[in-house]
Each structure stands twice: as structure tokens, then as C-alpha cells.
Amino acid sequence: MLRTRHTAAFALITVAALALTACGSGDPAAAPAGAPAAEGKVPTTDVVSSVRKDEAAAKLLPADVRAARTLTVAASVGSPPGSTYLADGRTVAGTDIDFADAVARKLGLRLTREVASFEAILPALDSGKYDVGTGNFGVTEERRRTIDFVTYINDGQGFAVRDDSKLKKVTDLTQLCGLTVGTGAGTTFEVTLEENRHLCSDAGREPYDVKTYNDQGATWASLQQGRSDVVMSTINGLRYAVRQQEGVRFLNEFKRLDVGFAFKKGTGLAPAFRAAVNGLKADGTYDRILKKWGIGESAITTSRISPPEIK
């Protein structure tokens, strides 16, 4: 059962974990009906409005995009630092949001942002419903077969537990044998866990159980309430979350992954987006965004188009 002293702190996470199952909204920053607003110390420093257009990068855009000067971006809004809602319940904020807005300014574009569920965005890109997707999408070999990426940070997979857990560090998934692992549905974490579940059986041990959730708040609730023994999620998201809650701790990084803007395979937008991200690094905006969200360790040296998965 959720302990009383954790209730207020836990609310900081659950209210920020919105819209992972929401449908696209015509309002670029509208929360689903009835969704609570994010609370806690979500930074609101403006690090984007000073960005100026880079004519050389803008010339790399396809001619029709240069003429329209508008792109539709699908944003999965989950939990900070990646993306969340501010206290008004409408305004979205996070690393994904700042980087998308900064790149748009570099390219002289206006973004029409629609909130969409994490698992729906990649298929929707292929159908042409959206031009670009954001949602802390890790670059994997499987995704590279159908999606193009332009990288902007490095994040990855990690673990968190309650303070009473005997786990100290997870370096091998067999350390999870016999436990229940909570994670997000449709994520690289679910794929990693499912693909390696056999390791426990191969070792003659009880397999771990994987419980998936459509929003991060439910994942944390499963941990706090004892329905999960460990949570697997993004490194940055876990570190942010444990600072907001009592009784939980970050275990360790398990695997690093590059994170990028997602596009339909064969997109003509990728060269311009890569040039824009590298332009943000050159003018200092890139570092200001990382500092704002406290994720300096996620800096990349240079933006790349669909690089191989980090092994």
C-alpha cells in the first residue's frame, strides 16, 4: 500500500505523467480533458526565444517545406525532463519541447504541435499524418528499418527501486529473475525485457514478470504500492523522478541510447534538422537547454542521421 508520507511527493510524478495514451489534439498544447496539471519544480526558463534563423540550414529543407514554412510535430507528453504539462494544464515543457522549438527557429519554421500517444507516433509518421515526432525516441536497429532519426541527446535505459530493495545494481538481467518489473508499454524497455526473459529459464531460475503501463504515473504507482519490485525507464526520467519522491532510489544506468527526432523513412527533412541541431551546439543554445533540465551528461558531440544503435 502507498505509504501516507509518500502521497504528496508521489503526486508530483503522477500528475506529470499525462497523455501517453491521449489522441492527437487540434490545440498544440492542450491536455486531455480532465487531465491534472503538472506540479513541482518544473523549470520554465526561456532558452529558445533568442535563437535566430540559420539561412544555410534552412536551405537544406525541401522546397515545399520552405514555401509552407510549417511542420506538424506529434509530441508524446509524459514526464519530465522529456516532456510534461505546466501548472496551467495546457502548456507543454521539457527537453523534447525545447529542442523542437529551437530547431524550428533555426530553420525559420512554425510548428503545429499535436499531443499523441507514444506508441501511435511512429506508425503515424509512416502514414504521413505528422512530419516529425518527439517522445524521447531511442535509436534502435529495429526502429531504423522503418524510421529516420536526427539525434539531439543521449539517454538510455536504467532502473529504480524502493529503498527497501536488496538490489544494488543491475548489470545482468538475470539479477531480475523472480521479480516483477514495471515499465512503459511500447518502449525499448519492454522489448529488452521480453527478448531476454529466457535468460532466467536458461539458467534454471524463475523468469521475471513484466508489467507494462501506458503512463509513467501508473508505473511509479506499481512500484510504490509493491506491485512491481523494480522500474525500468529512461535514465534521465528516473533520475528526475527519484528527486521528487521519498522512498525510492535510482539504481544504475543499464544501456545508453541516442535519442532523436523521428521521421518517415526517406525523409528530406533530416539534413536540415541535423544542421539545425549542430547550429544550436555552436551558438550555445544546446548547452543552455541541457543545463535548464539538468541533463548535462546527455550531451552528444554532433548530431547524426540514423546512427547505428549503441551496443
PDB file of all heavy atoms in Angstrom, residues 24-61:
ATOM      1  N   GLY A  24      -4.323  12.655 -30.709  1.00  0.00           N
ATOM      2  CA  GLY A  24      -3.820  13.940 -31.156  1.00  0.00           C
ATOM      3  C   GLY A  24      -4.852  15.023 -30.913  1.00  0.00           C
ATOM      4  O   GLY A  24      -6.041  14.824 -31.092  1.00  0.00           O
ATOM      5  N   SER A  25      -4.372  16.194 -30.520  1.00  0.00           N
ATOM      6  CA  SER A  25      -5.266  17.312 -30.214  1.00  0.00           C
ATOM      7  C   SER A  25      -5.067  18.412 -31.222  1.00  0.00           C
ATOM      8  O   SER A  25      -3.963  18.705 -31.629  1.00  0.00           O
ATOM      9  CB  SER A  25      -4.966  17.836 -28.805  1.00  0.00           C
ATOM     10  OG  SER A  25      -5.581  19.069 -28.591  1.00  0.00           O
ATOM     11  N   GLY A  26      -6.135  19.044 -31.591  1.00  0.00           N
ATOM     12  CA  GLY A  26      -6.025  20.168 -32.504  1.00  0.00           C
ATOM     13  C   GLY A  26      -5.363  21.362 -31.867  1.00  0.00           C
ATOM     14  O   GLY A  26      -4.817  22.214 -32.546  1.00  0.00           O
ATOM     15  N   ASP A  27      -5.422  21.473 -30.545  1.00  0.00           N
ATOM     16  CA  ASP A  27      -4.737  22.528 -29.817  1.00  0.00           C
ATOM     17  C   ASP A  27      -3.311  22.080 -29.590  1.00  0.00           C
ATOM     18  O   ASP A  27      -3.068  21.031 -29.021  1.00  0.00           O
ATOM     19  CB  ASP A  27      -5.433  22.760 -28.462  1.00  0.00           C
ATOM     20  CG  ASP A  27      -4.875  23.967 -27.726  1.00  0.00           C
ATOM     21  OD1 ASP A  27      -3.667  24.239 -27.870  1.00  0.00           O
ATOM     22  OD2 ASP A  27      -5.631  24.614 -27.001  1.00  0.00           O
ATOM     23  N   PRO A  28      -2.305  22.810 -30.056  1.00  0.00           N
ATOM     24  CA  PRO A  28      -0.934  22.344 -29.972  1.00  0.00           C
ATOM     25  C   PRO A  28      -0.439  22.118 -28.573  1.00  0.00           C
ATOM     26  O   PRO A  28       0.585  21.478 -28.382  1.00  0.00           O
ATOM     27  CB  PRO A  28      -0.128  23.462 -30.670  1.00  0.00           C
ATOM     28  CG  PRO A  28      -1.014  24.658 -30.606  1.00  0.00           C
ATOM     29  CD  PRO A  28      -2.403  24.128 -30.681  1.00  0.00           C
ATOM     30  N   ALA A  29      -1.106  22.632 -27.564  1.00  0.00           N
ATOM     31  CA  ALA A  29      -0.609  22.417 -26.210  1.00  0.00           C
ATOM     32  C   ALA A  29      -1.755  22.174 -25.242  1.00  0.00           C
ATOM     33  O   ALA A  29      -1.752  22.670 -24.135  1.00  0.00           O
ATOM     34  CB  ALA A  29       0.220  23.601 -25.758  1.00  0.00           C
ATOM     35  N   ALA A  30      -2.721  21.403 -25.673  1.00  0.00           N
ATOM     36  CA  ALA A  30      -3.874  21.160 -24.817  1.00  0.00           C
ATOM     37  C   ALA A  30      -3.787  19.795 -24.162  1.00  0.00           C
ATOM     38  O   ALA A  30      -3.522  18.805 -24.819  1.00  0.00           O
ATOM     39  CB  ALA A  30      -5.161  21.248 -25.628  1.00  0.00           C
ATOM     40  N   ALA A  31      -3.991  19.745 -22.846  1.00  0.00           N
ATOM     41  CA  ALA A  31      -4.012  18.474 -22.136  1.00  0.00           C
ATOM     42  C   ALA A  31      -5.317  17.773 -22.425  1.00  0.00           C
ATOM     43  O   ALA A  31      -6.310  18.394 -22.786  1.00  0.00           O
ATOM     44  CB  ALA A  31      -3.870  18.723 -20.637  1.00  0.00           C
ATOM     45  N   PRO A  32      -5.355  16.422 -22.271  1.00  0.00           N
ATOM     46  CA  PRO A  32      -6.601  15.707 -22.431  1.00  0.00           C
ATOM     47  C   PRO A  32      -7.641  16.232 -21.441  1.00  0.00           C
ATOM     48  O   PRO A  32      -7.296  16.711 -20.364  1.00  0.00           O
ATOM     49  CB  PRO A  32      -6.217  14.257 -22.108  1.00  0.00           C
ATOM     50  CG  PRO A  32      -4.741  14.199 -22.324  1.00  0.00           C
ATOM     51  CD  PRO A  32      -4.232  15.548 -21.970  1.00  0.00           C
ATOM     52  N   ALA A  33      -8.902  16.127 -21.798  1.00  0.00           N
ATOM     53  CA  ALA A  33      -9.967  16.623 -20.934  1.00  0.00           C
ATOM     54  C   ALA A  33      -9.872  16.009 -19.553  1.00  0.00           C
ATOM     55  O   ALA A  33      -9.751  14.801 -19.409  1.00  0.00           O
ATOM     56  CB  ALA A  33     -11.323  16.310 -21.554  1.00  0.00           C
ATOM     57  N   GLY A  34      -9.891  16.865 -18.528  1.00  0.00           N
ATOM     58  CA  GLY A  34      -9.856  16.383 -17.158  1.00  0.00           C
ATOM     59  C   GLY A  34      -8.475  16.066 -16.640  1.00  0.00           C
ATOM     60  O   GLY A  34      -8.321  15.649 -15.498  1.00  0.00           O
ATOM     61  N   ALA A  35      -7.428  16.239 -17.456  1.00  0.00           N
ATOM     62  CA  ALA A  35      -6.080  15.923 -17.006  1.00  0.00           C
ATOM     63  C   ALA A  35      -5.589  16.960 -16.022  1.00  0.00           C
ATOM     64  O   ALA A  35      -5.746  18.155 -16.227  1.00  0.00           O
ATOM     65  CB  ALA A  35      -5.123  15.880 -18.203  1.00  0.00           C
ATOM     66  N   PRO A  36      -4.969  16.525 -14.917  1.00  0.00           N
ATOM     67  CA  PRO A  36      -4.436  17.473 -13.951  1.00  0.00           C
ATOM     68  C   PRO A  36      -3.173  18.120 -14.464  1.00  0.00           C
ATOM     69  O   PRO A  36      -2.516  17.601 -15.350  1.00  0.00           O
ATOM     70  CB  PRO A  36      -4.144  16.586 -12.732  1.00  0.00           C
ATOM     71  CG  PRO A  36      -3.890  15.241 -13.312  1.00  0.00           C
ATOM     72  CD  PRO A  36      -4.778  15.134 -14.515  1.00  0.00           C
ATOM     73  N   ALA A  37      -2.834  19.241 -13.900  1.00  0.00           N
ATOM     74  CA  ALA A  37      -1.628  19.950 -14.325  1.00  0.00           C
ATOM     75  C   ALA A  37      -0.410  19.411 -13.608  1.00  0.00           C
ATOM     76  O   ALA A  37      -0.492  18.841 -12.536  1.00  0.00           O
ATOM     77  CB  ALA A  37      -1.772  21.445 -14.016  1.00  0.00           C
ATOM     78  N   ALA A  38       0.745  19.590 -14.230  1.00  0.00           N
ATOM     79  CA  ALA A  38       1.992  19.183 -13.598  1.00  0.00           C
ATOM     80  C   ALA A  38       2.292  20.080 -12.413  1.00  0.00           C
ATOM     81  O   ALA A  38       2.009  21.264 -12.426  1.00  0.00           O
ATOM     82  CB  ALA A  38       3.132  19.259 -14.612  1.00  0.00           C
ATOM     83  N   GLU A  39       2.871  19.505 -11.378  1.00  0.00           N
ATOM     84  CA  GLU A  39       3.271  20.273 -10.212  1.00  0.00           C
ATOM     85  C   GLU A  39       4.774  20.104 -10.013  1.00  0.00           C
ATOM     86  O   GLU A  39       5.450  19.415 -10.748  1.00  0.00           O
ATOM     87  CB  GLU A  39       2.508  19.787  -8.984  1.00  0.00           C
ATOM     88  CG  GLU A  39       0.999  19.963  -9.110  1.00  0.00           C
ATOM     89  CD  GLU A  39       0.280  19.446  -7.886  1.00  0.00           C
ATOM     90  OE1 GLU A  39       0.949  19.169  -6.878  1.00  0.00           O
ATOM     91  OE2 GLU A  39      -0.940  19.305  -7.942  1.00  0.00           O
ATOM     92  N   GLY A  40       5.285  20.684  -8.944  1.00  0.00           N
ATOM     93  CA  GLY A  40       6.690  20.514  -8.653  1.00  0.00           C
ATOM     94  C   GLY A  40       7.534  21.586  -9.323  1.00  0.00           C
ATOM     95  O   GLY A  40       7.031  22.508  -9.954  1.00  0.00           O
ATOM     96  N   LYS A  41       8.821  21.432  -9.214  1.00  0.00           N
ATOM     97  CA  LYS A  41       9.749  22.432  -9.702  1.00  0.00           C
ATOM     98  C   LYS A  41      10.147  22.143 -11.137  1.00  0.00           C
ATOM     99  O   LYS A  41      11.278  21.765 -11.429  1.00  0.00           O
ATOM    100  CB  LYS A  41      10.963  22.492  -8.781  1.00  0.00           C
ATOM    101  CG  LYS A  41      10.621  22.921  -7.350  1.00  0.00           C
ATOM    102  CD  LYS A  41      11.853  22.968  -6.476  1.00  0.00           C
ATOM    103  CE  LYS A  41      11.500  23.403  -5.044  1.00  0.00           C
ATOM    104  NZ  LYS A  41      12.696  23.430  -4.172  1.00  0.00           N
ATOM    105  N   VAL A  42       9.206  22.303 -12.048  1.00  0.00           N
ATOM    106  CA  VAL A  42       9.493  22.151 -13.469  1.00  0.00           C
ATOM    107  C   VAL A  42      10.070  23.473 -13.965  1.00  0.00           C
ATOM    108  O   VAL A  42       9.426  24.510 -13.850  1.00  0.00           O
ATOM    109  CB  VAL A  42       8.220  21.810 -14.262  1.00  0.00           C
ATOM    110  CG1 VAL A  42       8.533  21.718 -15.749  1.00  0.00           C
ATOM    111  CG2 VAL A  42       7.615  20.504 -13.755  1.00  0.00           C
ATOM    112  N   PRO A  43      11.297  23.482 -14.485  1.00  0.00           N
ATOM    113  CA  PRO A  43      11.918  24.744 -14.890  1.00  0.00           C
ATOM    114  C   PRO A  43      11.183  25.394 -16.049  1.00  0.00           C
ATOM    115  O   PRO A  43      10.698  24.716 -16.956  1.00  0.00           O
ATOM    116  CB  PRO A  43      13.339  24.331 -15.296  1.00  0.00           C
ATOM    117  CG  PRO A  43      13.243  22.883 -15.609  1.00  0.00           C
ATOM    118  CD  PRO A  43      12.182  22.332 -14.706  1.00  0.00           C
ATOM    119  N   THR A  44      11.102  26.708 -16.016  1.00  0.00           N
ATOM    120  CA  THR A  44      10.392  27.460 -17.058  1.00  0.00           C
ATOM    121  C   THR A  44      11.274  28.518 -17.714  1.00  0.00           C
ATOM    122  O   THR A  44      10.770  29.380 -18.445  1.00  0.00           O
ATOM    123  CB  THR A  44       9.142  28.142 -16.460  1.00  0.00           C
ATOM    124  OG1 THR A  44       9.541  28.978 -15.366  1.00  0.00           O
ATOM    125  CG2 THR A  44       8.139  27.109 -15.971  1.00  0.00           C
ATOM    126  N   THR A  45      12.574  28.465 -17.480  1.00  0.00           N
ATOM    127  CA  THR A  45      13.492  29.431 -18.082  1.00  0.00           C
ATOM    128  C   THR A  45      13.388  29.411 -19.606  1.00  0.00           C
ATOM    129  O   THR A  45      13.382  28.332 -20.220  1.00  0.00           O
ATOM    130  CB  THR A  45      14.942  29.108 -17.685  1.00  0.00           C
ATOM    131  OG1 THR A  45      15.036  29.023 -16.274  1.00  0.00           O
ATOM    132  CG2 THR A  45      15.900  30.178 -18.198  1.00  0.00           C
ATOM    133  N   ASP A  46      13.293  30.563 -20.203  1.00  0.00           N
ATOM    134  CA  ASP A  46      13.221  30.669 -21.659  1.00  0.00           C
ATOM    135  C   ASP A  46      14.630  30.568 -22.242  1.00  0.00           C
ATOM    136  O   ASP A  46      15.456  31.463 -22.055  1.00  0.00           O
ATOM    137  CB  ASP A  46      12.575  31.996 -22.055  1.00  0.00           C
ATOM    138  CG  ASP A  46      12.534  32.205 -23.562  1.00  0.00           C
ATOM    139  OD1 ASP A  46      12.827  31.247 -24.302  1.00  0.00           O
ATOM    140  OD2 ASP A  46      12.219  33.320 -23.998  1.00  0.00           O
ATOM    141  N   VAL A  47      14.910  29.482 -22.941  1.00  0.00           N
ATOM    142  CA  VAL A  47      16.227  29.295 -23.555  1.00  0.00           C
ATOM    143  C   VAL A  47      16.111  29.193 -25.076  1.00  0.00           C
ATOM    144  O   VAL A  47      17.077  28.828 -25.750  1.00  0.00           O
ATOM    145  CB  VAL A  47      16.924  28.036 -23.002  1.00  0.00           C
ATOM    146  CG1 VAL A  47      17.303  28.225 -21.539  1.00  0.00           C
ATOM    147  CG2 VAL A  47      16.035  26.799 -23.166  1.00  0.00           C
ATOM    148  N   VAL A  48      14.949  29.525 -25.609  1.00  0.00           N
ATOM    149  CA  VAL A  48      14.694  29.297 -27.031  1.00  0.00           C
ATOM    150  C   VAL A  48      14.438  30.578 -27.820  1.00  0.00           C
ATOM    151  O   VAL A  48      14.837  30.688 -28.981  1.00  0.00           O
ATOM    152  CB  VAL A  48      13.483  28.337 -27.204  1.00  0.00           C
ATOM    153  CG1 VAL A  48      13.084  28.219 -28.661  1.00  0.00           C
ATOM    154  CG2 VAL A  48      13.817  26.967 -26.638  1.00  0.00           C
ATOM    155  N   SER A  49      13.781  31.570 -27.229  1.00  0.00           N
ATOM    156  CA  SER A  49      13.309  32.724 -27.994  1.00  0.00           C
ATOM    157  C   SER A  49      14.432  33.537 -28.633  1.00  0.00           C
ATOM    158  O   SER A  49      14.193  34.281 -29.595  1.00  0.00           O
ATOM    159  CB  SER A  49      12.451  33.639 -27.122  1.00  0.00           C
ATOM    160  OG  SER A  49      13.200  34.182 -26.051  1.00  0.00           O
ATOM    161  N   SER A  50      15.659  33.410 -28.137  1.00  0.00           N
ATOM    162  CA  SER A  50      16.777  34.171 -28.704  1.00  0.00           C
ATOM    163  C   SER A  50      17.384  33.501 -29.936  1.00  0.00           C
ATOM    164  O   SER A  50      18.264  34.077 -30.590  1.00  0.00           O
ATOM    165  CB  SER A  50      17.866  34.367 -27.649  1.00  0.00           C
ATOM    166  OG  SER A  50      18.400  33.120 -27.238  1.00  0.00           O
ATOM    167  N   VAL A  51      16.956  32.294 -30.275  1.00  0.00           N
ATOM    168  CA  VAL A  51      17.517  31.563 -31.413  1.00  0.00           C
ATOM    169  C   VAL A  51      17.151  32.272 -32.722  1.00  0.00           C
ATOM    170  O   VAL A  51      15.992  32.625 -32.952  1.00  0.00           O
ATOM    171  CB  VAL A  51      17.009  30.107 -31.444  1.00  0.00           C
ATOM    172  CG1 VAL A  51      17.515  29.385 -32.699  1.00  0.00           C
ATOM    173  CG2 VAL A  51      17.458  29.365 -30.195  1.00  0.00           C
ATOM    174  N   ARG A  52      18.135  32.460 -33.560  1.00  0.00           N
ATOM    175  CA  ARG A  52      17.929  33.125 -34.845  1.00  0.00           C
ATOM    176  C   ARG A  52      18.010  32.132 -36.007  1.00  0.00           C
ATOM    177  O   ARG A  52      18.676  31.106 -35.923  1.00  0.00           O
ATOM    178  CB  ARG A  52      18.976  34.230 -35.039  1.00  0.00           C
ATOM    179  CG  ARG A  52      18.869  35.333 -33.991  1.00  0.00           C
ATOM    180  CD  ARG A  52      17.585  36.138 -34.184  1.00  0.00           C
ATOM    181  NE  ARG A  52      17.396  37.159 -33.143  1.00  0.00           N
ATOM    182  CZ  ARG A  52      16.598  37.040 -32.100  1.00  0.00           C
ATOM    183  NH1 ARG A  52      15.892  35.907 -31.942  1.00  0.00           N
ATOM    184  NH2 ARG A  52      16.485  38.007 -31.211  1.00  0.00           N
ATOM    185  N   LYS A  53      17.350  32.470 -37.091  1.00  0.00           N
ATOM    186  CA  LYS A  53      17.321  31.597 -38.256  1.00  0.00           C
ATOM    187  C   LYS A  53      18.717  31.424 -38.839  1.00  0.00           C
ATOM    188  O   LYS A  53      19.491  32.377 -38.954  1.00  0.00           O
ATOM    189  CB  LYS A  53      16.377  32.183 -39.312  1.00  0.00           C
ATOM    190  CG  LYS A  53      16.226  31.312 -40.555  1.00  0.00           C
ATOM    191  CD  LYS A  53      15.233  31.940 -41.538  1.00  0.00           C
ATOM    192  CE  LYS A  53      15.089  31.096 -42.794  1.00  0.00           C
ATOM    193  NZ  LYS A  53      14.138  31.709 -43.768  1.00  0.00           N
ATOM    194  N   ASP A  54      19.019  30.183 -39.225  1.00  0.00           N
ATOM    195  CA  ASP A  54      20.273  29.844 -39.892  1.00  0.00           C
ATOM    196  C   ASP A  54      19.938  29.619 -41.365  1.00  0.00           C
ATOM    197  O   ASP A  54      19.356  28.595 -41.733  1.00  0.00           O
ATOM    198  CB  ASP A  54      20.858  28.573 -39.267  1.00  0.00           C
ATOM    199  CG  ASP A  54      22.187  28.172 -39.869  1.00  0.00           C
ATOM    200  OD1 ASP A  54      22.420  28.453 -41.056  1.00  0.00           O
ATOM    201  OD2 ASP A  54      22.986  27.531 -39.148  1.00  0.00           O
ATOM    202  N   GLU A  55      20.284  30.579 -42.202  1.00  0.00           N
ATOM    203  CA  GLU A  55      19.897  30.518 -43.611  1.00  0.00           C
ATOM    204  C   GLU A  55      20.480  29.297 -44.316  1.00  0.00           C
ATOM    205  O   GLU A  55      19.819  28.675 -45.153  1.00  0.00           O
ATOM    206  CB  GLU A  55      20.335  31.796 -44.337  1.00  0.00           C
ATOM    207  CG  GLU A  55      19.641  33.057 -43.844  1.00  0.00           C
ATOM    208  CD  GLU A  55      18.153  33.077 -44.167  1.00  0.00           C
ATOM    209  OE1 GLU A  55      17.701  32.245 -44.989  1.00  0.00           O
ATOM    210  OE2 GLU A  55      17.429  33.921 -43.596  1.00  0.00           O
ATOM    211  N   ALA A  56      21.715  28.938 -43.968  1.00  0.00           N
ATOM    212  CA  ALA A  56      22.345  27.784 -44.619  1.00  0.00           C
ATOM    213  C   ALA A  56      21.601  26.497 -44.276  1.00  0.00           C
ATOM    214  O   ALA A  56      21.383  25.642 -45.145  1.00  0.00           O
ATOM    215  CB  ALA A  56      23.811  27.679 -44.202  1.00  0.00           C
ATOM    216  N   ALA A  57      21.214  26.366 -43.009  1.00  0.00           N
ATOM    217  CA  ALA A  57      20.463  25.172 -42.603  1.00  0.00           C
ATOM    218  C   ALA A  57      19.083  25.167 -43.246  1.00  0.00           C
ATOM    219  O   ALA A  57      18.589  24.125 -43.700  1.00  0.00           O
ATOM    220  CB  ALA A  57      20.338  25.126 -41.085  1.00  0.00           C
ATOM    221  N   ALA A  58      18.434  26.317 -43.296  1.00  0.00           N
ATOM    222  CA  ALA A  58      17.097  26.416 -43.870  1.00  0.00           C
ATOM    223  C   ALA A  58      17.081  26.047 -45.352  1.00  0.00           C
ATOM    224  O   ALA A  58      16.102  25.484 -45.853  1.00  0.00           O
ATOM    225  CB  ALA A  58      16.538  27.820 -43.668  1.00  0.00           C
ATOM    226  N   LYS A  59      18.156  26.333 -46.061  1.00  0.00           N
ATOM    227  CA  LYS A  59      18.227  25.998 -47.480  1.00  0.00           C
ATOM    228  C   LYS A  59      18.250  24.499 -47.729  1.00  0.00           C
ATOM    229  O   LYS A  59      18.007  24.043 -48.862  1.00  0.00           O
ATOM    230  CB  LYS A  59      19.460  26.652 -48.108  1.00  0.00           C
ATOM    231  CG  LYS A  59      19.329  28.157 -48.290  1.00  0.00           C
ATOM    232  CD  LYS A  59      20.575  28.749 -48.932  1.00  0.00           C
ATOM    233  CE  LYS A  59      20.418  30.262 -49.103  1.00  0.00           C
ATOM    234  NZ  LYS A  59      21.637  30.875 -49.695  1.00  0.00           N
ATOM    235  N   LEU A  60      18.548  23.715 -46.679  1.00  0.00           N
ATOM    236  CA  LEU A  60      18.557  22.259 -46.815  1.00  0.00           C
ATOM    237  C   LEU A  60      17.159  21.661 -46.755  1.00  0.00           C
ATOM    238  O   LEU A  60      16.976  20.471 -47.035  1.00  0.00           O
ATOM    239  CB  LEU A  60      19.428  21.642 -45.706  1.00  0.00           C
ATOM    240  CG  LEU A  60      20.904  22.024 -45.713  1.00  0.00           C
ATOM    241  CD1 LEU A  60      21.603  21.434 -44.488  1.00  0.00           C
ATOM    242  CD2 LEU A  60      21.572  21.539 -46.997  1.00  0.00           C
ATOM    243  N   LEU A  61      16.173  22.460 -46.382  1.00  0.00           N
ATOM    244  CA  LEU A  61      14.795  21.974 -46.330  1.00  0.00           C
ATOM    245  C   LEU A  61      14.269  21.707 -47.738  1.00  0.00           C
ATOM    246  O   LEU A  61      14.642  22.405 -48.695  1.00  0.00           O
ATOM    247  CB  LEU A  61      13.896  23.005 -45.654  1.00  0.00           C
ATOM    248  CG  LEU A  61      14.070  23.208 -44.148  1.00  0.00           C
ATOM    249  CD1 LEU A  61      13.328  24.476 -43.715  1.00  0.00           C
ATOM    250  CD2 LEU A  61      13.545  22.000 -43.382  1.00  0.00           C
TER     251      LEU A  61
END
